[in-house]
Amino acid sequence: MIIKEAIFAGSSTSFENRPVQKLPEFAFIGRSNVGKSSLINMLCGRNKLALTSSTPGKTRLVNHFTINNSWYLVDLPGYGYARASFRERDAIGGVIDGYLNNAPHLETLFILLDSRLPLQKIDLEFINTIGSKGTIPISLIYTKCDKLGITRVKEQVEINNQELLKYWEELPPYFITSSTKGTGKEELLQYIGDILKKLK
Ligand code: GTP
Ligand code: MG
Protein backbone atom coordinates (compact mmCIF):
# COMPACT_ATOMS: atom_id res chain seq x y z
CA MET A 1 0.00 0.00 0.00
CA ILE A 2 1.13 3.52 -0.76
CA ILE A 3 0.16 6.61 1.21
CA LYS A 4 -0.63 9.23 -1.40
CA GLU A 5 -2.35 11.72 0.82
CA ALA A 6 -2.22 12.38 4.57
CA ILE A 7 -4.28 15.20 6.02
CA PHE A 8 -4.56 16.29 9.64
CA ALA A 9 -8.22 15.74 10.48
CA GLY A 10 -8.35 17.12 14.01
CA SER A 11 -7.43 16.79 17.66
CA SER A 12 -9.89 15.54 20.22
CA THR A 13 -10.22 14.77 23.88
CA SER A 14 -13.38 12.70 23.73
CA PHE A 15 -15.69 10.78 21.41
CA GLU A 16 -17.94 13.82 21.00
CA ASN A 17 -15.30 15.97 19.32
CA ARG A 18 -13.63 13.31 17.20
CA PRO A 19 -13.64 13.60 13.39
CA VAL A 20 -17.02 12.43 12.22
CA GLN A 21 -16.24 10.18 9.24
CA LYS A 22 -16.76 6.49 9.95
CA LEU A 23 -13.48 5.17 8.58
CA PRO A 24 -11.25 2.29 9.72
CA GLU A 25 -8.68 3.46 12.25
CA PHE A 26 -5.13 2.35 13.07
CA ALA A 27 -3.80 3.87 16.28
CA PHE A 28 -0.35 4.18 17.81
CA ILE A 29 0.30 4.06 21.51
CA GLY A 30 3.26 3.51 23.82
CA ARG A 31 5.33 5.20 26.47
CA SER A 32 6.01 8.86 26.11
CA ASN A 33 8.96 9.52 23.77
CA VAL A 34 8.95 5.98 22.30
CA GLY A 35 8.52 7.42 18.80
CA LYS A 36 4.80 7.29 17.96
CA SER A 37 4.60 10.63 16.16
CA SER A 38 7.90 10.02 14.35
CA LEU A 39 6.63 6.67 13.09
CA ILE A 40 3.44 8.25 11.72
CA ASN A 41 5.56 10.80 9.87
CA MET A 42 7.81 8.07 8.50
CA LEU A 43 4.84 6.02 7.26
CA CYS A 44 3.34 9.07 5.58
CA GLY A 45 6.65 10.26 4.15
CA ARG A 46 6.16 13.63 5.82
CA ASN A 47 8.48 15.37 8.26
CA LYS A 48 6.09 17.46 10.25
CA LEU A 49 2.65 15.92 9.91
CA ALA A 50 2.62 14.73 13.53
CA LEU A 51 4.56 16.94 15.92
CA THR A 52 7.54 15.27 17.56
CA SER A 53 9.87 16.32 20.34
CA SER A 54 12.90 15.07 22.21
CA THR A 55 11.05 16.07 25.39
CA PRO A 56 8.54 13.42 26.46
CA GLY A 57 4.87 14.35 26.68
CA LYS A 58 4.60 16.19 23.36
CA THR A 59 1.34 14.65 22.15
CA ARG A 60 -1.46 15.36 24.64
CA LEU A 61 -4.54 14.84 22.51
CA VAL A 62 -5.91 12.23 20.14
CA ASN A 63 -4.83 13.29 16.65
CA HIS A 64 -6.55 11.85 13.60
CA PHE A 65 -4.94 11.90 10.15
CA THR A 66 -7.03 11.01 7.10
CA ILE A 67 -5.07 8.74 4.78
CA ASN A 68 -5.91 8.40 1.08
CA ASN A 69 -9.36 9.69 1.95
CA SER A 70 -10.28 6.21 3.19
CA TRP A 71 -8.84 5.46 6.63
CA TYR A 72 -7.37 7.12 9.70
CA LEU A 73 -3.99 6.96 11.38
CA VAL A 74 -4.40 7.99 15.02
CA ASP A 75 -1.58 9.46 17.09
CA LEU A 76 -2.22 9.01 20.81
CA PRO A 77 -0.51 10.61 23.81
CA GLY A 78 2.15 8.57 25.57
CA TYR A 79 1.41 6.73 28.79
CA GLY A 80 3.69 6.70 31.82
CA TYR A 81 5.39 10.05 31.51
CA ALA A 82 7.16 10.07 34.86
CA ARG A 83 7.76 13.79 35.08
CA ALA A 84 4.19 14.87 34.47
CA SER A 85 2.24 15.91 37.55
CA PHE A 86 -0.44 13.56 38.88
CA ARG A 87 -3.11 15.84 37.51
CA GLU A 88 -1.53 15.88 34.05
CA ARG A 89 -1.06 12.12 34.08
CA ASP A 90 -4.71 11.68 35.04
CA ALA A 91 -5.75 13.97 32.23
CA ILE A 92 -3.62 12.13 29.66
CA GLY A 93 -4.75 8.75 30.98
CA GLY A 94 -8.33 9.96 30.66
CA VAL A 95 -7.80 10.95 27.03
CA ILE A 96 -6.24 7.56 26.22
CA ASP A 97 -8.95 5.56 28.04
CA GLY A 98 -11.64 7.76 26.51
CA TYR A 99 -10.36 6.82 23.07
CA LEU A 100 -9.80 3.11 23.70
CA ASN A 101 -13.10 2.58 25.51
CA ASN A 102 -15.08 3.92 22.59
CA ALA A 103 -13.30 3.16 19.32
CA PRO A 104 -15.74 1.12 17.22
CA HIS A 105 -13.68 1.52 14.05
CA LEU A 106 -10.28 0.73 15.55
CA GLU A 107 -8.86 -2.11 13.43
CA THR A 108 -5.46 -2.38 15.12
CA LEU A 109 -3.84 -0.76 18.11
CA PHE A 110 -0.09 -0.68 17.51
CA ILE A 111 1.75 -0.73 20.84
CA LEU A 112 5.21 0.76 20.45
CA LEU A 113 8.16 -0.53 22.46
CA ASP A 114 11.67 0.92 22.57
CA SER A 115 13.85 -1.74 20.93
CA ARG A 116 16.79 -0.90 23.20
CA LEU A 117 15.03 -1.81 26.42
CA PRO A 118 13.80 -4.97 28.06
CA LEU A 119 10.02 -5.13 28.25
CA GLN A 120 9.09 -2.46 30.79
CA LYS A 121 6.60 -3.17 33.57
CA ILE A 122 4.25 -0.44 32.37
CA ASP A 123 4.28 -1.86 28.81
CA LEU A 124 3.60 -5.38 29.99
CA GLU A 125 0.75 -4.12 32.16
CA PHE A 126 -0.70 -2.18 29.25
CA ILE A 127 -0.41 -5.14 26.85
CA ASN A 128 -1.97 -7.49 29.41
CA THR A 129 -4.83 -5.11 30.20
CA ILE A 130 -5.75 -4.53 26.55
CA GLY A 131 -5.13 -8.16 25.65
CA SER A 132 -7.33 -9.53 28.41
CA LYS A 133 -10.24 -7.32 27.33
CA GLY A 134 -9.97 -9.11 23.99
CA THR A 135 -11.89 -6.42 22.11
CA ILE A 136 -9.04 -4.55 20.42
CA PRO A 137 -6.62 -6.32 18.04
CA ILE A 138 -3.05 -5.40 18.95
CA SER A 139 0.33 -5.50 17.23
CA LEU A 140 3.71 -4.60 18.64
CA ILE A 141 6.15 -2.19 17.02
CA TYR A 142 9.76 -2.02 18.14
CA THR A 143 11.08 1.51 17.55
CA LYS A 144 14.48 3.15 17.08
CA CYS A 145 16.19 -0.05 15.87
CA ASP A 146 18.88 2.17 14.25
CA LYS A 147 20.23 2.94 17.71
CA LEU A 148 21.14 -0.63 18.64
CA GLY A 149 21.62 -2.55 15.41
CA ILE A 150 19.33 -5.22 14.06
CA THR A 151 21.12 -8.24 15.56
CA ARG A 152 20.89 -6.98 19.11
CA VAL A 153 17.33 -5.81 18.56
CA LYS A 154 16.35 -9.31 17.43
CA GLU A 155 17.94 -10.77 20.56
CA GLN A 156 15.96 -8.34 22.73
CA VAL A 157 12.75 -9.12 20.84
CA GLU A 158 13.28 -12.83 21.46
CA ILE A 159 13.69 -12.20 25.21
CA ASN A 160 10.52 -10.09 25.20
CA ASN A 161 8.63 -12.78 23.30
CA GLN A 162 9.56 -15.35 25.94
CA GLU A 163 8.33 -12.97 28.63
CA LEU A 164 5.05 -12.38 26.80
CA LEU A 165 4.54 -16.11 26.31
CA LYS A 166 4.35 -16.45 30.10
CA TYR A 167 1.03 -14.63 29.86
CA TRP A 168 -0.23 -15.38 26.36
CA GLU A 169 -0.59 -18.54 24.29
CA GLU A 170 0.06 -16.67 21.10
CA LEU A 171 2.24 -13.66 20.33
CA PRO A 172 0.75 -10.64 18.62
CA PRO A 173 2.27 -9.72 15.24
CA TYR A 174 5.34 -7.55 15.69
CA PHE A 175 7.42 -5.20 13.56
CA ILE A 176 10.95 -3.83 13.90
CA THR A 177 11.22 -0.21 12.81
CA SER A 178 13.38 2.88 12.59
CA SER A 179 11.77 6.19 11.73
CA THR A 180 15.11 7.73 10.87
CA LYS A 181 16.05 4.94 8.43
CA GLY A 182 12.62 3.93 7.20
CA THR A 183 13.05 0.36 8.47
CA GLY A 184 9.78 -1.57 8.58
CA LYS A 185 7.79 0.90 6.50
CA GLU A 186 6.90 -1.55 3.73
CA GLU A 187 5.92 -4.32 6.13
CA LEU A 188 3.71 -2.06 8.23
CA LEU A 189 1.94 -0.51 5.26
CA GLN A 190 1.42 -3.95 3.75
CA TYR A 191 -0.04 -5.20 7.04
CA ILE A 192 -2.47 -2.27 7.20
CA GLY A 193 -3.28 -2.64 3.49
CA ASP A 194 -4.14 -6.32 3.94
CA ILE A 195 -6.55 -5.52 6.78
CA LEU A 196 -8.19 -2.78 4.72
CA LYS A 197 -8.60 -5.17 1.77
CA LYS A 198 -10.37 -7.72 3.97
CA LEU A 199 -12.80 -5.03 5.15
CA LYS A 200 -13.97 -4.34 1.60
P1 GTP B 1 5.09 11.75 23.00
O1 GTP B 1 4.20 12.42 22.01
O2 GTP B 1 5.79 12.70 23.89
O3 GTP B 1 4.41 10.67 23.76
O4 GTP B 1 6.32 11.06 22.20
P2 GTP B 1 6.30 10.16 20.88
O5 GTP B 1 6.15 8.73 21.25
O6 GTP B 1 5.34 10.69 19.88
O7 GTP B 1 7.81 10.35 20.36
P3 GTP B 1 8.35 11.26 19.19
O8 GTP B 1 7.96 10.71 17.87
O9 GTP B 1 8.04 12.68 19.48
O10 GTP B 1 9.95 10.98 19.32
C1 GTP B 1 10.64 11.18 20.51
C2 GTP B 1 12.13 11.36 20.22
O11 GTP B 1 12.68 10.16 19.70
C3 GTP B 1 12.41 12.44 19.19
O12 GTP B 1 13.59 13.13 19.59
C4 GTP B 1 12.65 11.65 17.91
O13 GTP B 1 13.50 12.30 17.00
C5 GTP B 1 13.31 10.39 18.46
N1 GTP B 1 13.03 9.22 17.57
C6 GTP B 1 11.82 8.77 17.23
N2 GTP B 1 11.91 7.69 16.42
C7 GTP B 1 13.24 7.47 16.24
C8 GTP B 1 13.99 6.48 15.49
O14 GTP B 1 13.47 5.59 14.81
N3 GTP B 1 15.35 6.56 15.57
C9 GTP B 1 15.98 7.51 16.31
N4 GTP B 1 17.32 7.50 16.33
N5 GTP B 1 15.31 8.45 17.02
C10 GTP B 1 13.95 8.44 16.99
MG1 MG C 1 3.89 12.13 20.04
Side-chain angles (χ1 to χ4, degrees):
M1 205 229 331
I2 297 169
I3 293 187
K4 294 187 201 125
E5 188 185 55
I7 298 171
F8 174 62
S11 298
S12 58
T13 49
S14 69
F15 191 73
E16 284 69 43
N17 54 24
R18 263 184 230 171
V20 287
Q21 287 195 80
K22 290 189 180 67
L23 298 175
E25 302 189 5
F26 295 83
F28 294 79
I29 195 152
R31 273 183 309 123
S32 207
N33 214 43
V34 70
K36 300 173 291 294
S37 303
S38 303
L39 188 79
I40 287 181
N41 289 338
M42 182 269 262
L43 291 176
C44 295
R46 296 263 298 274
N47 272 342
K48 290 182 183 155
L49 185 67
L51 299 183
T52 66
S53 167
S54 54
T55 319
K58 179 71 183 170
T59 311
R60 300 281 173 122
L61 302 168
V62 175
N63 293 309
H64 278 71
F65 300 92
T66 317
I67 309 297
N68 298 346
N69 208 18
S70 58
W71 53 282
Y72 286 123
L73 274 180
V74 184
D75 191 13
L76 294 170
Y79 53 72
Y81 172 34
R83 280 207 232 142
S85 67
F86 279 120
R87 187 183 291 185
E88 276 177 306
R89 252 188 283 176
D90 268 2
I92 292 173
V95 169
I96 294 173
D97 289 347
Y99 176 76
L100 294 177
N101 289 337
N102 198 353
H105 308 292
L106 181 56
E107 293 301 327
T108 296
L109 178 66
F110 291 104
I111 302 174
L112 277 63
L113 304 168
D114 190 322
S115 65
R116 296 168 295 176
L117 303 175
L119 199 58
Q120 304 287 289
K121 189 164 168 266
I122 192 167
D123 293 321
L124 185 60
E125 280 170 4
F126 186 81
I127 293 168
N128 285 350
T129 304
I130 294 286
S132 58
K133 280 190 193 154
T135 48
I136 299 174
I138 62 168
S139 287
L140 305 180
I141 295 182
Y142 289 93
T143 62
K144 308 188 187 184
C145 80
D146 56 287
K147 292 210 177 193
L148 200 61
I150 202 77
T151 311
R152 286 190 49 208
V153 168
K154 283 187 176 160
E155 285 167 10
Q156 187 57 57
V157 168
E158 192 42 46
I159 295 169
N160 292 0
N161 285 346
Q162 293 311 317
E163 180 68 17
L164 285 168
L165 285 169
K166 290 182 191 163
Y167 302 87
W168 300 99
E169 277 175 21
E170 233 180 285
L171 291 170
Y174 65 87
F175 301 88
I176 294 174
T177 67
S178 159
S179 295
T180 47
K181 293 205 167 160
T183 315
K185 180 174 179 175
E186 298 300 315
E187 291 90 328
L188 263 173
L189 289 178
Q190 167 126 31
Y191 182 77
I192 292 173
D194 286 348
I195 293 175
L196 289 170
K197 259 185 226 150
K198 280 187 205 142
L199 290 174
K200 279 191 184 151

